[in-house]
Amino acid sequence: MKHNIPSVSPLILAAAMSVACLSPLQSSDWPQWRGPDRNEVSPETGLLKAWPEGGPEREWVFREAGLGYSSPAVVGDRLYVLGARGPEEYLIALDVSGPRELWATSIGVFLNNSWGDGPRSTPTVDGDRVYALGGRGDLICVDTADGRVVWRKAMRSLGGEVPNWGYAESILVDGDRVVCTPGGSDGSIVALNKETGDVIWQSEGLTDSAHYSSVIAADVHGERQYIQLFEKRLAGVAAADGSLRWQVDWPGRTAVIPTPVFHENHVYVTSGYDVGCMLVRIDPGNEVSRVYRNNVMENHHGGVVLLEGHIYGYSDSEGWTCQNFMTGEAVWSERGALGKGPLTYADGRLYCLEENSGTMVLAEASTSGWEEHGRFKLEAQSDRRSPRGKIWTHPVISGGRLYLRDQELISRYVLKP
C-alpha cells in the first residue's frame, strides 16, 4: 500500500470533531448522493400521502444551475449542485428560501459529451466543507461559507483516466477521509485526508478502470470496508489500508452505473445491457459466495432501493419491479404505468421519475403491487438538453420539499400538508 500520511493525533481528531459539531446534520438533510445513508431513503415523515390533481405545489424554479446531470445536496437552508456554465464546471451554492445564488466556484474545464455536457456527480457536504468531483475528474474541497477552495486534486494525478461518459462517482466522506475511484494501475480506489487532500493510501492489487458507480462504506464482520462495482468485478477493500479483502466476478457491459446495496453482510448489485443482478454473501474471513444472479432486475442507471427485505426499481426486462432481496424472486412488475427512470423513497412512498417525459409518480412502497397516489409532469424542462440526453437526475427530498432537475432548471415542490 502507498502510505503517505502519518496517523492523525488525538488532538487533531478532537479539533475536527468539534468543527463538525458546529454544523450538525438534521434528519431532513440530504447531504450527499442517495441521501443521508447513501441508500436513496429519506427519514422524513409527515409528507403528503397523496397528491392533488396536477401534483404538489411548486414553490420556485431556479434557472441558472448550468448544464449537467448532478443532483443537489441540501443541508439546512443551503443547496449545493454542480453545473457547466460556458467553458467551465462550477460548484454552486443556493439559499433555498429565495432561491438566491450565494456563490459559484470553478471546478475546472467542462466535460464535453454527446449525451450531454457537464458534471454528473452529486456534491458531498461534511460539516463546513463540501466536496465535488467534476466530469473530467477534478476534485475540489470548498468552504461552505464562501466557496473558497481549500484544496484540489485531479484523478489523473492518481493514475486515473476519464471514462467514456465522464467521471460520474459521487465522493464518499467517511470519518477523516475522502474516498473515491480514480481507477487505473496506481490503484482503483484512493483514500485522501479530507482536510488536506493528501493521499492516505491507494489500493494495490485492484487496478480496474473507473466506471460510473459510487463507492460505499460498510462494516463487514466488524471491519470497516469500502465496496465498489467495476465493469468486471465487485470488490471490497479494507478502510484501514486499502488492501483487497474480497472480490467476485461481474459480467458488466458498456457501462456499470448503479451504486451497490449492502445489508447484513450481503451485497446486491445490478447493471443494464442485459446483465441483470446479483446478491453475494460475505462470510467471516472474507469468504464470498454468490446467493443468486438473474435478470429480474436489470437496472441501467436509475438506481434501486432496499425496503423491508425487498428491492424496488426499474428493470429494463420487467418495468417497475419489486424483488425479494434474499431470494432474487420477482414479487411484482409493472411496465405500462410509467416508463424508465430514477426513484427515491420517503414516508411509505416511492417517488418515481420517467426519464423521457418528466412524469413524476407517487407510488406505494408495497409488496402487493403498483399503486399510484398521484402524478404530475415536470413543467420546467430544458431546451438546452442534448438530443441524446434525458431527465436522468435523481429526485431529492429534504425539509419537506421535493427537488427535481433538468439541466439548468431546478424545481422545488412542497410535500408537507
Side-chain angles (χ1 to χ4, degrees):
M1 303 305 115
K2 300 174 184 176
H3 298 273
N4 299 329
I5 298 297
S7 60
V8 180
S9 73
L11 181 61
I12 294 175
L13 281 174
M17 290 176 65
S18 66
V19 169
C21 289
L22 296 176
S23 304
L25 291 177
Q26 304 298 314
S27 61
S28 61
D29 288 335
W30 193 275
Q32 62 172 332
W33 168 241
R34 288 171 59 84
D37 295 318
R38 218 167 172 87
N39 60 1
E40 209 76 74
V41 173
S42 166
E44 287 198 58
T45 58
L47 306 182
L48 291 169
K49 295 295 187 180
W51 290 340
E53 185 176 354
E57 174 193 355
R58 190 181 76 181
E59 271 189 311
W60 51 251
V61 179
F62 180 72
R63 300 181 180 277
E64 301 296 334
L67 299 180
Y69 296 104
S70 166
S71 59
V74 185
V75 174
D77 61 358
R78 292 283 187 94
L79 179 151
Y80 305 89
V81 72
L82 279 58
R85 293 172 169 176
E88 294 181 271
E89 295 181 351
Y90 288 86
L91 170 60
I92 302 163
L94 305 180
D95 178 339
V96 298
S97 62
R100 178 173 62 91
E101 183 171 319
L102 300 173
W103 49 259
T105 299
S106 175
I107 301 171
V109 177
F110 85 110
L111 175 78
N112 179 269
N113 190 270
S114 64
W115 292 89
D117 298 336
R120 281 90 165 95
S121 306
T122 297
T124 301
V125 184
D126 178 68
D128 61 353
R129 298 285 187 264
V130 57
Y131 303 83
L133 180 66
R136 297 180 64 86
D138 297 303
L139 170 62
I140 60 172
C141 168
V142 165
D143 191 304
T144 57
D146 55 12
R148 175 182 58 87
V149 175
V150 179
W151 55 261
R152 291 180 177 269
K153 182 75 70 173
M155 294 299 101
R156 61 184 175 275
S157 72
L158 300 167
E161 184 175 337
V162 180
N164 287 337
W165 292 283
Y167 277 100
E169 180 181 31
S170 297
I171 296 303
L172 171 68
V173 177
D174 187 46
D176 64 352
R177 62 194 57 187
V178 165
V179 184
C180 57
T181 312
S185 59
D186 290 349
S188 298
I189 300 173
V190 65
L192 307 173
N193 183 300
K194 74 176 183 181
E195 299 296 333
T196 65
D198 294 329
V199 175
I200 298 173
W201 53 253
Q202 193 160 357
S203 60
E204 294 177 359
L206 184 63
T207 57
D208 303 57
S209 298
H211 257 240
Y212 310 96
S213 182
S214 292
V215 69
I216 62 170
D219 292 316
V220 182
H221 297 291
E223 181 187 46
R224 193 70 165 172
Q225 294 185 9
Y226 301 130
I227 298 171
Q228 180 61 296
L229 180 64
F230 300 92
E231 184 182 21
K232 296 301 181 184
R233 61 174 155 175
L234 171 68
V237 302
D241 60 9
S243 58
L244 181 63
R245 307 301 280 156
W246 56 269
Q247 60 181 316
V248 62
D249 291 342
W250 178 245
R253 301 189 188 104
T254 310
V256 166
I257 303 170
T259 299
V261 175
F262 178 86
H263 180 66
E264 296 182 348
N265 297 312
H266 289 73
V267 184
Y268 176 97
V269 291
T270 179
S271 298
Y273 303 97
D274 299 318
V275 173
C277 61
M278 176 178 71
L279 182 71
V280 299
R281 182 179 67 249
I282 310 170
D283 293 321
N286 290 298
E287 295 294 327
V288 182
S289 58
R290 191 173 71 185
V291 180
Y292 62 80
R293 189 172 85 79
N294 62 39
N295 288 76
V296 169
M297 183 63 72
E298 295 177 12
N299 189 264
H300 185 193
H301 49 60
V304 297
V305 176
L306 173 62
L307 301 167
E308 298 181 349
H310 293 84
I311 290 284
Y312 296 85
Y314 188 90
S315 171
D316 287 349
S317 62
E318 303 289 337
W320 291 96
T321 296
C322 172
Q323 179 187 30
N324 186 294
F325 178 75
M326 289 303 300
T327 69
E329 296 176 350
V331 177
W332 58 257
S333 62
E334 170 58 53
R335 183 175 290 278
L338 187 72
K340 175 179 177 178
L343 84 164
T344 192
Y345 167 87
D347 200 13
R349 297 290 186 260
L350 299 171
Y351 292 73
C352 306
L353 177 64
E354 185 180 74
E355 63 181 21
N356 285 310
S357 68
T359 299
M360 188 80 206
V361 167
L362 186 68
E364 190 152 349
S366 169
T367 57
S368 61
W370 177 270
E371 183 178 347
E372 289 189 28
H373 294 277
R375 66 167 57 201
F376 70 96
K377 185 175 181 179
L378 176 63
E379 182 180 350
Q381 295 195 24
S382 177
D383 59 8
R384 299 173 61 194
R385 189 191 328 133
S386 166
R388 303 179 74 185
K390 303 182 187 297
I391 303 174
W392 286 323
T393 301
H394 288 215
V396 164
I397 296 169
S398 180
R401 302 295 189 268
L402 168 67
Y403 295 87
L404 299 177
R405 178 188 186 179
D406 183 22
Q407 300 297 314
E408 78 277 15
L409 307 174
I410 299 176
S411 301
R412 175 164 122 151
Y413 296 84
V414 180
L415 295 182
K416 289 217 169 183

